Amino acid sequence: MNPNYPGSTQGQMPPTGYGAPGMNPGQMRPPGPGAMNNPGGYGAPPKPGPGQYGMPPSANGPQYPNMGPPGNMPGKPPVSMQNNMAPGLPPQARPPTMMPPSSAGQISNGMNAMHISQPRGPSPNQNAGPPSSMFPPGSMPPTSQMGGMPRPPANHMGGPDQMKGISGPPTSQYGGAPPTSQYGGAPPTGQYRGTPPTSQYGGAPPTSQYGGTPPTSQYGGTPPTSQYGGTPPTSQYGGTPPTSQYSGGPPTSQYGGPPTSQIGGMSGPPMSRPGGMGGPLPPTQGMHPPTSSNAGMPPTSRPGFPQDQHQGTNQSPPSGMSMSERYGQGPPPSGPPSGPSLFPPPPGQGNYPPSGPPGPGQFPPQPGQSAQPRYPGGTMPGQSFPPNYPGSQPMSAPGGMQQPAGPKKLDPDQMPSPIQVIDDDQANRRGNFQTTKGAVPPLVTTDFVVQDQGNCNPRFMRSTLYNVPCTSDMLKSCHIPFALSISPFAKLPEEEYDPPIVNLGETGPVRCKRCKAYMNPNMMFIDGGRRFQCIFCGAATDVPADYFAHLDHTGRRIDTYDRPELCLGSYEFIATKDYCKNGVLPNAPAFIFMIDVSYNSIKSGLVHLVCERLKEDVLVNLPKEVGQDESEIRVGFVTYAKEIHFYNVKSNLAQPQMLVVSDLNDVFVPLLDGFLVKLSESEAVIDSLLSQIPQMFSESRETETVLGPVIQAGLDALKSADRSGKLYIFHTSLPIAEAPGKLKNRDDRKLLGTEKEKTILTPQNNFYTKLGQDCVGAGCSVDLFLFPNAYIDIASISEVCRLTGGNLYKYSYFQADLDGDRFLEDLKYNVMNQTAFDAILRVRASTGIRAVDFLGNFYMSNTTDVEMAAIDKEQAMNVEIKHDDKLNEADGAYVQVAVLYTSVGGQRRLRIHNMAFNCCTQMADLFRNTELDTLINYMAKHAVRASLNSNPKQVRDGIMSQVAQILACYRKNCSTPAPMGQLILPESMKLLPLYANCVVKSDALQGGSEISTDDRSFLMLKLCSMDVTSTQVFFYPRLIPMHDLESHKNQVPPAIRCSVERLRDNGVYLLENGLSMFLWIGHSVEPHWVQQVFGVQSAAQIDIDKCKLVDLDNPVSQRLRDIINSIRSERCRYMKLTIVRQRDKLEPWFNHFLVEDKGSNNSASYVDFLRHIYGEIRNLLS
């Protein structure tokens, strides 16, 4: 049977067969999906054969120019940069003071620099064994725990000269100048008293007087009255100094564990749990603030702000923590230190030999420890932390251990940096990535081109684990969920091809007779090719006669590389009638545009804008099949306020006809023929209709609207036409008119962040939930474009989007002249990116594991089938997989995702994605092959769901607890010989504390009264459908310096860390998180730069109410606009640009996105959170 489908132009075969990468001279052939030596296979000279596709190569096939040879990429352990929201964040009691422990004594104050550079996972099909011998303390640790030569250390770790032995104490704490004040630069003046900007995620920019339109909160809605009124807390870190109980030689790894990153030995007594060891040591009132060289932690308040009157001797612990948790210890045996002991003791009392200072990023040796160089690879020499000052007077600590006297500041530069991790991955893993079994993919931020070797492209599916534990006990004890993030129709870069389409005619797709899994590269053919054994359930199935082919000497079919389903991880089958509703092939989908013509909609310019631009900007971009001249999609038009108007736009009419339905309790479609038409056939009538609508309703005084009956009408129209499709609804206000789906205003922003918040974050009633379920059954997806000037109850009306796989957009205080372009770009992108309709997704897993939990925006009528009325290229869902039996290390584990859907051309198809995993029995192998970005994506979605069922404190506590348990498991199982005083992070997860904190403090989970109720609901809905790329930048925004564009000619300047300390007064910075974009302008920025970009003399004259840059004809202006457009093109939402001047009223809102700093709602900084996690780990280990 020739598999070639003549009409398939979607993804086509290279002449040498699927996925045959070119070979370099002397290069070994990369492993394929199994053992093979097929002469006509990968890399063979072109040899046309029966059934070969003569089309462009598929994504996996050719070697792309400028990419290294396959298999030659240094494999660096996966490190993720995704600031995802994690589930289960510890909620905050009110008033919200969510700070992990803040006393200097709670966790030892300081950390060693991350100094490990290891491969990010074994190279394909290669597992690193444990080191052959143990290294006693004080001797050289192994050069690399995973075999092979070590890489030189990353730049931020210091160069070769900085790796020489340490033989003496540093001149200052970190061997360099003391860090400057935490927030560098002059203090902003009334920073916390300003009004928040208008709608971060949608809304008009604030007018300078806040006169006309009311300013909105972050995402839209009324601004809080006293958001930043409270005075910031003063520095809280003057508690007892930590005990340093552990010193000694460097840790070695008994298990050949995954690369670890040590953040110096954070020592100190273990933190007590509530009701644990003794009471806290409140700081005494006369205590001096720590100096820069020995500060316990950066001050939480910005310089220049008054001290909070409520903070002093009676500081309250962070919500969710008892006092003993906050300070992490009871009084030390020798009593609390007096005030002066917070300063470094006078020199001359110690017993340390004098010597030179250590290099940057290094710490002095501990007593009893010889000075040692730092090594790339392996664990770093294990110094306990903090180091003692020369001549310090040690305090006695429990067990007679010595304790340094002064609390010291943790230097953020010594802590794992997401920027460094991203840059390292880009440097080491860009180029070709071959999808071999168990290969950990590059980070989502890295530019790579996929060569499909029988496992699907990581853009379609990523996993938290690529080495699956053999037993459920091992999976439970590591506390890392085995979860997949699936984007079945993800957008591919230009260098990659869409999955090829296979047409097997009337036979249909070949499947296992028992579990119904589809043919894939892992199936094993037996009996000379007459039967195949299923990799999922083990059953043997007869091969259909017209699918038969002989086997070669390796047991593989001779046509393996002529059939996509036998050699690729992703491909599509044309479905037969058996896969269609009622056994009938489907019609092409339809789009119905439903326009609110109430008073608000007319006044804001929305109706005029939609009618003027819909055809020329949007309808011309209707999606079409590859190779087709025009789109097969039908379009229809409806207007509504308190009654619904249908339009007949049949091609033979001279003028459109309007039919009105006023009985909203029993909505019906008054016409069938002429309502849904092809654009090309009825172009003139549609033009006439769109020009008449604004005139017909220009005098409308109707302020009340309906929504439920509008969705019912659209659903009925699609059902009557027997088509799947999409409703585009442009709606402006809370539906309060008497009709089904009427809602009442229940907004109460004060409830956000409290235990009662779920009462306003869940639907008012089940009307829209039931309506959404009806829509899914008919393949009708709903996209809501909201333009509210007040509360619109997104929590209730978004149910139709959530269940149907639709999108929701929000433009608060919409003004056509300011927000029109953003709205039209979003609408155009949405229409162009629709891919699949009336879809059902099922996940199959091999024996011993099964899919148990599903997260995302969809509907499930049973426990296995995920139903979505539409799926676009951005839509992603998560699946958690658990064991139901023991796995075999030799066999591995397999997952297949199958999506049955209707294409934009009306063809019923199946898209198949396959993934194969290695199995392991050692924790070290598991931690070496984890993917942090996917883990954060899953944790965040899990937390959103949990927040609708439990209180915010439990959610946040759950995330912090999970992070501590993951790191404690690693500490216990993979780095046992290291001294207990050290915080050791797995190389692949060294950013876990940072990203988890970003999830905890994210507005989607933590958002309190500083954002509106609707914004909070909007973010929760959006987060649930985000893919890994989107959550990565959503949780840890990109901050890019823009003041020095000349030195980065054709590239976007490299990003910097998200902290206010990184901003310079004379700098300009662009911040984006995928949903919003800010341009921060320092007050001392060069006037010439301001003149070139804004056409005014100084920063003070810039009109910050404009949300777009002036088109000026000079290189700087052009370059800045190009970069902004380039960044916007990477995201699925068109980000509104908000201009923020330093010390302006909007600056506190900009600072809200600098996620490494302490938040305005008292959420923890990166340093605080790391200290807290460290204390939790010590509790777990003790």
Side-chain angles (χ1 to χ4, degrees), residues 287-562:
M287 205 175 272
H288 299 287
T291 61
S292 64
S293 63
N294 71 333
M297 289 186 47
T300 53
S301 64
R302 304 196 172 205
F305 280 91
Q307 175 170 342
D308 191 340
Q309 298 164 0
H310 301 294
Q311 300 235 336
T313 47
N314 296 321
Q315 282 175 316
S316 57
S319 56
M321 282 180 237
S322 70
M323 276 298 229
S324 57
E325 276 183 298
R326 180 181 183 114
Y327 293 97
Q329 60 186 36
S334 51
S338 55
S341 71
L342 287 176
F343 292 97
Q349 295 177 341
N351 50 4
Y352 303 100
S355 62
Q362 300 181 7
F363 292 100
Q366 299 309 298
Q369 178 181 329
S370 59
Q372 302 198 15
R374 313 181 67 122
Y375 306 98
T379 52
M380 292 187 294
Q383 297 133 327
S384 69
F385 190 90
N388 289 329
Y389 281 106
S392 61
Q393 180 60 53
M395 291 178 57
S396 68
M401 298 291 180
Q402 295 297 301
Q403 170 174 332
K408 307 200 185 85
K409 181 174 180 176
L410 277 180
D411 181 0
D413 286 330
Q414 304 292 352
M415 292 155 54
S417 158
I419 306 301
Q420 187 67 47
V421 167
I422 290 168
D423 290 348
D424 289 349
D425 198 75
Q426 176 73 11
N428 294 312
R429 306 208 62 192
R430 65 182 306 167
N432 288 357
F433 170 68
Q434 298 195 349
T435 63
T436 49
K437 180 178 178 180
V440 182
L443 297 182
V444 288
T445 47
T446 298
D447 298 322
F448 62 97
V449 176
V450 171
Q451 292 188 322
D452 189 332
Q453 304 283 320
N455 268 342
C456 75
N457 191 320
R459 300 183 220 282
F460 294 131
M461 183 157 48
R462 280 182 175 258
S463 175
T464 54
L465 301 174
Y466 287 84
N467 221 330
V468 181
C470 284
T471 64
S472 59
D473 290 344
M474 186 175 168
L475 185 63
K476 280 178 196 160
S477 61
C478 78
H479 296 280
I480 302 174
F482 178 18
L484 307 173
S485 173
I486 303 167
S487 305
F489 295 91
K491 194 174 179 180
L492 298 179
E494 291 177 4
E495 301 91 342
E496 296 175 12
Y497 293 89
D498 286 328
I501 301 172
V502 179
N503 188 357
L504 296 179
E506 292 301 314
T507 313
V510 179
R511 307 175 71 178
C512 167
K513 66 181 181 186
R514 183 194 293 167
C515 69
K516 303 299 181 191
Y518 295 91
M519 178 57 67
N520 65 73
N522 302 304
M523 298 292 196
M524 196 186 315
F525 287 88
I526 53 178
D527 288 355
R530 286 184 290 276
R531 293 194 300 157
F532 67 89
Q533 188 167 0
C534 179
I535 196 72
F536 295 98
C537 67
T541 304
D542 292 336
V543 173
D546 52 1
Y547 194 74
F548 173 80
H550 291 287
L551 307 184
D552 64 14
H553 66 286
T554 64
R556 294 177 72 84
R557 286 170 57 117
I558 57 174
D559 63 351
T560 292
Y561 292 103
D562 299 334

Side-chain angles (χ1 to χ4, degrees), residues 620-693:
V620 293
N621 291 306
L622 288 174
K624 57 190 177 189
E625 295 280 18
V626 178
Q628 285 187 340
D629 293 334
E630 63 174 1
S631 174
E632 291 298 316
I633 286 177
R634 305 303 194 264
V635 293
F637 303 90
V638 168
T639 55
Y640 70 93
K642 278 177 83 171
E643 51 189 23
I644 302 174
H645 322 115
F646 290 84
Y647 296 93
N648 183 349
V649 285
K650 200 171 180 182
S651 57
N652 58 7
L653 294 176
Q655 286 292 324
Q657 297 172 345
M658 179 166 108
L659 295 94
V660 179
V661 175
S662 51
D663 180 3
L664 301 180
N665 289 307
D666 184 20
V667 177
F668 65 98
V669 180
L671 78 160
L672 286 178
D673 193 27
F675 177 60
L676 295 175
V677 296
K678 255 179 119 166
L679 177 65
S680 56
E681 292 169 3
S682 299
E683 200 162 349
V685 192
I686 290 172
D687 283 342
S688 174
L689 169 68
L690 293 176
S691 63
Q692 290 176 36
I693 287 176

